Amino acid sequence: MDPVRNLAELLTLPDFEAASDAVLDQGCRAYVAGGAGTDRTVRANIAAFDDIWLRPRVLASTTTEPRTDVTVLGHHMSMPVLLAPTSPQRLLHEDAEIATSLAAEAAGVVPVVSTDSHVPFPEIAKASGRAGWFQLYAYRSRDDIAATIDMAETAGASALVVTVDASHAALRVHAQRAGFSTPGHVDFGTLRALGILEGEVPAGARIDRLSLSWEDLLWIRARTRLPLLVKGILRADDARRCLDSGADGVIVSNHGGRQLDGAVPSVVALSEVAAEVDGRCAVLMDSGIRSGVHVVKALALGADAVCLGRPYLWGLSVAGREGVEAVLRLLRREIEDTLRQLGAADVNELGPHFVAKAGAGAAAGAA
């Protein structure tokens, strides 16, 4: 059965997950789906959205097509969605990050490319015609970090995303139980181009990273001309310190539940972080987005945009670039439908008045 011919039959993002499960082997399924420890945070990231209720307004005369386009840090996008950095995408499809970046370009959204990409970042930028944002992992030394930043800037990256919650290897029990190991056809092209990786890919696809400090963040801020975002923020005080360190944005994230089992769900931390920065920098979030309704809830709680992770990987595994494009088309339709039903003509109208927490929403529903 040709999965490309059946994309129209996939009506929800969980449908794409089921289709992906059907084409991936057990180890790859576990690597993509699993998180740290008991996977509690993986599950909680999704469940937390169910504790947020939408409050539609009526007679709002929203007869025109709702607007979904946004501008974040000067980057105009067709909808408030970026593709989160994930790696190595060659696990899922031979075209890897090339397919993902071409799909993002076609959909008018921004890809965030991982330092751990299979295809070297300059090749991704050249193939897609737009480099997107570059996600920075810190390896070995400041000299290597500087070389990585220089490479990203030279290739045309339009922002730098520093991930700060994954310096230490996590206990990813789900993948271990499935016997996952990095297949021989998977490489880490960006690291190899920088000389950080030589020889064989290490077992488990984990290369030791530096444990960053606030002083390191200040040094990175001074080292690059690019807009700087810090990914992995779950506390208001950390968000404030990022802002004080010169960050242009923060990404509220628990790494999709893949680092700390029991970490607070990202959408739970979102309001606190957004209130703390109070519009002084961009606020994005990831972890648990599984529908356009989720996107709208995140924006109402203070996010400027969301970063989509596992769902676009499901599309990639099913049908390469076409699969990623299908996921993004579906997500946009769901965002548009949610706005219509909510009585909002533009995603930029969204705010706290459109949502209620579980207690208030449940009480109103019972009445």
Side-chain angles (χ1 to χ4, degrees):
M1 184 179 295
D2 182 357
V4 174
R5 290 201 304 266
N6 293 294
L7 289 177
E9 299 175 10
L10 305 179
L11 304 181
T12 67
L13 294 188
D15 287 348
F16 278 90
E17 181 178 18
S20 177
D21 285 349
V23 299
L24 294 179
D25 63 40
Q26 180 180 353
C28 286
R29 286 198 303 271
Y31 178 80
V32 172
T38 66
D39 288 354
R40 182 186 179 199
T41 296
V42 175
R43 297 188 297 271
N45 279 331
I46 303 168
F49 279 99
D50 291 335
D51 289 334
I52 301 160
W53 298 85
L54 292 171
R55 299 173 51 159
R57 61 186 182 189
V58 299
L59 304 178
S61 300
T62 55
T63 56
T64 60
E65 288 296 308
R67 290 193 59 175
T68 62
D69 60 304
V70 297
T71 299
V72 179
L73 296 179
H75 305 284
H76 187 260
M77 297 177 285
S78 66
M79 58 178 168
V81 175
L82 298 88
L83 300 187
T86 61
S87 66
Q89 293 180 24
R90 186 69 190 279
L91 281 172
L92 307 173
H93 193 275
E94 62 182 1
D95 294 336
E97 295 88 7
I98 299 292
T100 297
S101 291
L102 288 171
E105 179 69 19
V109 302
V110 174
V112 187
V113 180
S114 172
T115 304
D116 292 347
S117 63
H118 172 83
V119 181
F121 182 66
E123 293 183 22
I124 299 169
K126 183 178 180 180
S128 63
R130 184 173 67 164
W133 295 5
F134 182 79
Q135 176 268 338
L136 176 69
Y137 278 133
Y139 287 104
R140 296 200 310 193
S141 69
R142 281 192 175 184
D143 286 343
D144 287 301
I145 297 172
T148 306
I149 293 171
D150 289 345
M151 178 216 62
E153 291 182 346
T154 300
S158 49
L160 190 69
V161 178
V162 181
T163 295
V164 295
D165 65 348
S167 296
H168 307 291
L171 297 176
R172 295 183 181 169
V173 177
H174 196 142
Q176 291 175 19
R177 282 181 173 153
F180 173 78
S181 62
T182 308
H185 64 276
V186 169
D187 202 356
F188 293 82
T190 297
L191 295 179
R192 204 173 289 282
L194 289 163
I196 293 172
L197 173 63
E198 298 175 346
E200 295 184 0
V201 174
R206 173 70 194 204
I207 307 163
D208 288 339
R209 298 177 187 141
L210 294 176
S211 183
L212 292 175
S213 67
W214 289 106
E215 289 74 18
D216 292 322
L217 183 62
L218 286 168
W219 176 82
I220 292 170
R221 171 68 284 175
R223 185 65 182 69
T224 182
R225 59 178 175 76
L226 295 173
L228 179 69
L229 298 96
V230 182
K231 179 178 181 292
I233 301 303
L234 292 171
R235 297 167 55 107
D237 54 352
D238 283 343
R240 181 174 62 253
R241 195 161 182 183
C242 288
L243 191 62
D244 293 342
S245 298
D248 301 291
V250 294
I251 302 181
V252 180
S253 171
N254 57 37
H255 217 90
R258 295 170 71 81
Q259 287 300 118
L260 174 62
D261 195 26
V264 60
S266 295
V267 74
V268 173
L270 175 59
S271 296
E272 175 187 337
V273 171
E276 181 64 36
V277 302
D278 193 25
R280 292 173 291 169
C281 73
V283 176
L284 289 75
M285 70 82 63
D286 69 26
S287 306
I289 299 291
R290 297 294 184 269
S291 70
V293 171
H294 288 179
V295 175
V296 169
K297 288 179 178 180
L299 267 63
L301 290 169
D304 297 301
V306 305
C307 298
L308 190 70
R310 289 179 177 92
Y312 83 80
L313 295 181
W314 302 332
L316 179 67
S317 67
V318 170
R321 172 185 172 178
E322 292 182 68
V324 179
E325 289 181 1
V327 165
L328 293 172
R329 283 196 302 272
L330 171 60
L331 195 61
R332 181 167 181 170
R333 288 198 301 271
E334 291 182 342
I335 293 170
E336 290 172 342
D337 177 70
T338 305
L339 291 173
R340 289 190 195 96
Q341 306 299 336
L342 199 58
D346 190 326
V347 290
N348 294 290
E349 295 179 23
L350 296 172
H353 55 289
F354 278 112
V355 292
K357 300 295 176 155

